Amino acid sequence: MLDIGVQTARQADPTLLRLTLFGRMEARTLTGESVLPIGGKTRALLAILALSDRKPVLRSRLSELLWSRRPEEMARASLRQDIHRLLDALSPLGVDVIDVQRHTLSLKPALTSVDAERVLTANSRTLGGLLPPDLLLLGELNGIDPAFDEWIDQQRERITLHIKGVCETRLRELRDPDQIDTEAERLLLMDELNDAAWRARIQAALSRGDHARASAIAENLLKAFERQPDRVPAAQTQALINRVLLPREPGDAADVFQEEMLPGQFVGGADSSASYSSLVQDLGGVNQQKRDVLLIANKNGAEYFASSLASVLFLTFAADAGCVEHARELAETLELLLVDLGLISVLTTPSGYTPDALNPMQSYQGMGADYLVSGTLRPAMGGARPRLVLRVLDVRENAAIIWGTHCEIEVVDLAHTRMMLSAAAQSIKWGIVLAEARRSWNLPRGNLSPLGCGVRAFLLMMNRDGRTFSEIEQLLEYARRKDGQQAFIPMLQSLFFYGRSVCDWSIEEDRCQQNALDAARAVIALMPYQKVYLPMLAAALYLNPKTQGQAKSVFASFMEDAPSDEVILYTIGYYFCTTMECLLAGRMADALLEIEKVRLSPCRSPLYALLDPFFMLISVLAGEGRKVIESGRMLAGMYPHSSGCLVPYLVALITEGGDSDEIDAVRTHLLSFSSSLTVGRVMRRLEYLPSPQRALIENALRQAGLPET
């Protein structure tokens, strides 16, 4: 996906022909119509003209690049044919955008624009919004001709060198440590051994007073150079590593860093006589402390996340004098609940620690915190119960609030309070997952760890777009192959295949349901003592009528332990199972109550969106079709490619005697992107429902005009 800056530039571009060369090649008119030629050689011809700096290209040169293995006369004849094909493809423009001369061809600059050209002409001020971070230049044209392959490699190298030069210039201009980190990481993605970038990251950490982070970056630097023994760090880089990592006596001048030192200002180390090999030997065993988050290091195996997703620090909850002790207990309870969920590292504040009054976020970041959890307990007033306000702040984004809620506390009902905090802990976890997914969205997949691939897949799942299902499955399968011990990955796989079983009608339902079950069992095998995952296994078993007896037993076992460990409640699997049990027992009113609990929860997790299709279906069966129609209209506008929500919407329109035009519109739209959808396929997917409910849905779909088989 192109960076949003590229999209904005393209939308504001008044030229007649707009060429995209990064990723999938595109050629579009001012109105968005594709005029991309069909043949690979013809596309390659257009690409050569687009990357020739608007200079005329000799026909002989074009022949050499595209038909290097043919005799000269045959190559020229083939070129003439492809020129005609190219001009025909571009004819809808109505204007000649290619200047064809007897001996040369060129692309007319006033009428055409090229994304790669904008990158090549960008400077340190304009480059940031134009970079397509993980797209290869003309990747689909590899193999056209050996000479052309060599030419493409040269163009890629030319663009990379230009970007590196611009980034290095910008790195020297910047003074803000966070901006320096961002620019240095971009450089390391292109050149994993870029000395300037490594020094900048280390010095940015030192400028914050974060010596632990500087040491971690220095260790990653050494590992990167060890992988390529033919290259060694520059003398300045060696001196900086020596300052950061080697043990020193207290008071040694080399161990003192000026707080105002910024990466662009560092000078020194040229007199260092220590060789790289001896330096590595001296550093053996030094500063090998455990790190929760591994920052981007290089492009050949760097990982954005390590064993945990993020680090969270709890602040003292604010409260009036009479509520201080209760606020402290709430904070401690929520902290422990978040620890129990795993995935997130919870930090503790050292005794007597006071952050910098002028820049507290920098102090917290220096402690290794990515997020802060803060709370305010307001006392009961006017007969109301005490109210707890919770927030999660992103330390790296100037304390921006990424999650928040407020709820009333039952001071005398400790069980209710603990369950409310359990729901809050679940919601905080998934809120942080979404925040981290958005933060790492523009990183190439190769720079994501298994955990990073998982959070990216989760963000795609939340988009509810059936067109991304294959990408989600690939991300999760890649992550699971790379790290088979991370329970978070098969948990996401189970959630994904559950969601796909009610949202994607293009695959065989047996495979989908079986994958959901296999993934849930894998989670249990990895975390046998974590009861929180049992409802997920039960939910997968409920999807198949043959295993619903097992599902009931698993869920009953889960509920036996629930009162002693409320953190296992308020999960997506829990609500699915409680609603399913009401449905199978014919208690439809109770099923609606379970749905209402999710809807009204002040700590509703974003994960519950996966239950929308199931909850809508249950609501239709319980006689709440009007509410489903309202929800369907809203969700159809928000998620137009989610067939899982459109099917219950269509059923509700039939059962409630909806407008025929609306029924036709929903059916037509549904079949436009889910052409394999039939009454038979839907009913095979819904075999877990009782017979009367299945008959209601089947009749409604037939009346709606869906194909029978």
Side-chain angles (χ1 to χ4, degrees):
M1 181 180 293
L2 286 177
D3 190 272
I4 191 170
V6 179
Q7 298 178 18
T8 303
R10 183 170 58 191
Q11 292 166 0
D13 186 0
T15 53
L16 294 179
L17 177 64
R18 305 163 181 195
L19 294 176
T20 300
L21 304 184
F22 286 107
R24 183 175 294 278
M25 187 176 179
E26 291 183 1
R28 297 193 176 276
T29 66
L30 185 62
T31 59
E33 178 185 0
S34 176
V35 289
L36 186 67
I38 296 177
K41 296 275 189 181
T42 315
R43 293 183 181 183
L45 171 60
L46 180 59
I48 294 172
L49 299 179
L51 287 170
S52 296
D53 301 323
R54 305 296 176 166
K55 297 176 182 178
V57 184
L58 290 171
R59 288 176 179 251
S60 58
R61 175 60 173 160
L62 294 170
S63 300
E64 291 170 359
L65 289 177
L66 298 175
W67 293 277
S68 63
R69 291 177 289 192
R70 290 188 183 182
E72 183 177 347
E73 288 302 318
M74 291 181 63
R76 285 181 177 272
S78 298
L79 175 62
R80 286 193 294 271
Q81 293 176 1
D82 273 87
I83 291 174
H84 287 301
R85 294 190 184 102
L86 178 57
L87 296 177
D88 288 340
L90 300 179
S91 61
L93 294 170
V95 177
D96 292 332
V97 296
I98 296 179
D99 186 9
V100 181
Q101 299 295 327
R102 182 176 181 182
H103 298 293
T104 62
L105 277 76
S106 62
L107 208 57
K108 295 181 179 180
L111 303 177
T112 58
S113 65
V114 184
D115 61 342
E117 190 176 63
R118 287 194 293 270
V119 173
L120 282 168
T121 57
N123 55 34
S124 60
R125 304 295 181 189
T126 60
L127 181 64
L130 296 174
L131 285 179
D134 58 351
L135 299 178
L136 183 66
L137 180 75
L138 298 173
E140 64 187 280
L141 295 184
N142 285 332
I144 294 292
D145 185 278
F148 182 75
D149 289 346
E150 183 177 352
W151 177 84
I152 288 181
D153 290 337
Q154 293 170 356
Q155 298 303 311
R156 292 168 182 161
E157 181 65 16
R158 176 167 74 116
I159 291 175
T160 300
L161 289 175
H162 173 76
I163 294 173
K164 285 170 58 178
V166 173
C167 290
E168 288 173 353
T169 299
R170 179 167 169 75
L171 199 57
R172 290 191 292 269
E173 297 171 349
L174 293 174
R175 290 297 178 265
D176 180 75
D178 291 336
Q179 294 180 339
I180 289 169
D181 269 340
T182 301
E183 205 62 41
E185 289 164 2
R186 177 182 291 168
L187 258 174
L188 291 172
L189 289 174
M190 294 178 286
D191 178 10
E192 64 175 330
L193 302 184
N194 188 287
D195 285 86
W198 281 113
R199 289 199 303 271
R201 294 190 65 218
I202 294 173
Q203 291 160 351
L206 295 176
S207 72
R208 300 186 183 100
D210 190 351
H211 288 231
R213 183 170 181 174
S215 299
I217 296 172
E219 291 170 4
N220 287 332
L221 183 159
L222 291 175
K223 293 176 182 177
F225 275 92
E226 286 174 351
R227 288 192 289 271
Q228 298 190 33
D230 57 325
R231 290 182 60 181
V232 297
Q236 286 186 357
T237 308
Q238 292 184 30
L240 184 59
I241 297 172
N242 185 64
R243 286 171 179 246
V244 172
L245 292 183
L246 284 180
R248 299 187 179 279
E249 295 297 326
D252 191 333
D255 196 42
V256 179
F257 297 91
Q258 299 177 0
E259 289 299 321
E260 67 273 13
M261 182 191 296
L262 290 173
Q265 300 171 312
F266 177 77
V267 178
D271 56 357
S272 174
S273 58
S275 67
Y276 174 64
S277 58
S278 63
L279 179 63
V280 173
Q281 184 176 1
D282 290 341
L283 292 175
V286 177
N287 288 314
Q288 296 299 317
Q289 56 199 13
K290 179 180 178 181
R291 295 181 296 279
D292 292 319
V293 180
L294 179 64
L295 299 177
I296 303 169
N298 62 83
K299 65 181 180 182
N300 292 330
E303 295 183 346
Y304 190 70
F305 305 106
S307 58
S308 68
L309 183 66
S311 298
V312 169
L313 180 68
F314 275 75
L315 301 181
T316 302
F317 282 13
D320 289 355
C323 302
V324 171
E325 185 62 26
H326 191 46
R328 184 184 63 80
E329 292 176 357
L330 291 174
E332 290 177 350
T333 301
L334 182 59
E335 182 177 352
L336 292 175
L337 290 171
L338 203 57
V339 170
D340 288 345
L341 292 175
L343 194 64
I344 294 172
S345 298
V346 179
L347 306 177
T348 57
T349 306
S351 177
Y353 176 80
T354 303
D356 184 347
L358 296 178
N359 196 347
M361 291 303 111
Q362 187 173 2
S363 300
Y364 294 132
Q365 195 169 20
M367 294 176 62
D370 300 310
Y371 297 96
L372 301 176
V373 176
S374 71
T376 303
L377 182 61
R378 295 175 179 167
M381 297 181 63
R385 292 175 292 185
R387 170 171 289 194
L388 177 65
V389 180
L390 293 173
R391 308 176 195 85
V392 177
L393 314 177
D394 191 334
V395 174
R396 297 158 298 182
E397 296 293 338
N398 241 355
I401 299 177
I402 67 156
W403 180 91
T405 191
H406 60 84
C407 47
E408 293 182 338
I409 297 295
E410 292 277 6
V411 178
V412 296
D413 189 348
L414 298 181
H416 175 272
T417 298
R418 182 173 171 84
M419 285 193 289
M420 187 281 301
L421 291 176
S422 298
Q426 289 280 351
S427 189
I428 287 172
K429 179 183 80 168
W430 290 108
I432 289 176
V433 168
L434 282 178
E436 289 297 318
R438 295 187 183 104
R439 188 178 185 86
S440 63
W441 180 254
N442 286 330
L443 292 177
R445 186 188 299 184
N447 289 88
L448 295 175
S449 71
L451 196 53
C453 289
V455 298
R456 177 168 296 183
F458 180 69
L459 182 58
L460 289 171
M461 288 163 61
M462 292 298 97
N463 291 336
R464 309 193 205 184
D465 190 339
R467 298 171 298 181
T468 65
F469 285 161
S470 294
E471 181 180 356
I472 295 170
E473 187 169 355
Q474 291 171 10
L475 278 168
L476 293 176
E477 185 58 33
Y478 167 79
R480 192 170 177 183
R481 287 200 311 267
K482 194 171 181 182
D483 185 357
Q485 300 303 309
Q486 176 59 263
F488 179 68
I489 304 304
M491 180 189 69
L492 285 178
Q493 282 184 311
S494 185
L495 292 172
F496 166 65
F497 282 113
Y498 158 76
R500 193 168 185 180
S501 70
V502 295
C503 293
D504 183 12
W505 314 98
S506 63
I507 61 173
E508 291 300 323
E509 57 279 351
D510 289 344
R511 182 181 82 85
C512 204
Q513 293 176 2
Q514 187 60 47
N515 284 353
L517 183 57
D518 291 344
R521 285 171 171 159
V523 177
I524 300 299
L526 289 169
M527 306 288 286
Y529 305 109
Q530 280 280 15
K531 295 289 186 180
V532 69
Y533 299 118
L534 282 179
M536 187 183 307
L537 175 61
L541 290 167
Y542 268 124
L543 290 175
N544 188 335
K546 297 178 181 178
T547 57
Q548 286 180 352
Q550 298 176 39
K552 292 180 181 180
S553 297
V554 170
F555 191 59
S557 172
F558 160 78
M559 291 302 293
E560 288 177 3
D561 296 329
S564 62
D565 190 8
E566 290 85 357
V567 73
I568 62 182
L569 299 178
Y570 293 97
T571 64
I572 181 174
Y574 169 79
Y575 278 117
F576 176 85
C577 290
T578 55
T579 308
M580 179 66 81
E581 292 212 328
C582 294
L583 170 67
L584 296 178
R587 296 184 282 110
M588 302 308 295
D590 291 339
L592 289 177
L593 287 177
E594 293 299 315
I595 296 173
E596 195 70 1
K597 287 179 185 177
V598 175
R599 190 180 69 83
L600 296 178
S601 172
C603 301
R604 177 185 168 99
S605 165
L607 193 64
Y608 295 154
L610 295 176
L611 286 175
D612 280 343
F614 176 69
F615 282 170
M616 290 173 70
L617 200 63
I618 300 304
S619 297
V620 172
L621 298 175
E624 296 287 342
R626 286 294 172 187
K627 291 184 179 179
V628 173
I629 291 174
E630 294 175 5
S631 299
R633 289 169 180 162
M634 178 190 68
L635 293 172
M638 295 172 59
Y639 309 104
H641 292 91
S642 173
S643 60
C645 293
L646 290 175
V647 168
Y649 175 24
L650 190 59
V651 172
L653 285 170
I654 296 296
T655 58
E656 296 296 327
D659 180 74
S660 59
D661 290 340
E662 185 174 3
I663 293 172
D664 291 342
V666 174
R667 183 193 64 246
T668 301
H669 176 64
L670 185 57
L671 294 176
S672 70
F673 65 89
S674 188
S675 57
S676 62
L677 182 63
T678 64
V679 175
R681 184 179 286 271
V682 173
M683 299 318 299
R684 286 194 298 273
R685 193 69 61 85
L686 299 179
E687 286 184 346
Y688 61 85
L689 294 177
S691 297
Q693 284 86 349
R694 293 183 71 249
L696 185 151
I697 295 172
E698 187 172 6
N699 291 333
L701 292 177
R702 286 200 178 100
Q703 292 180 47
L706 254 62
E708 188 66 32
T709 56

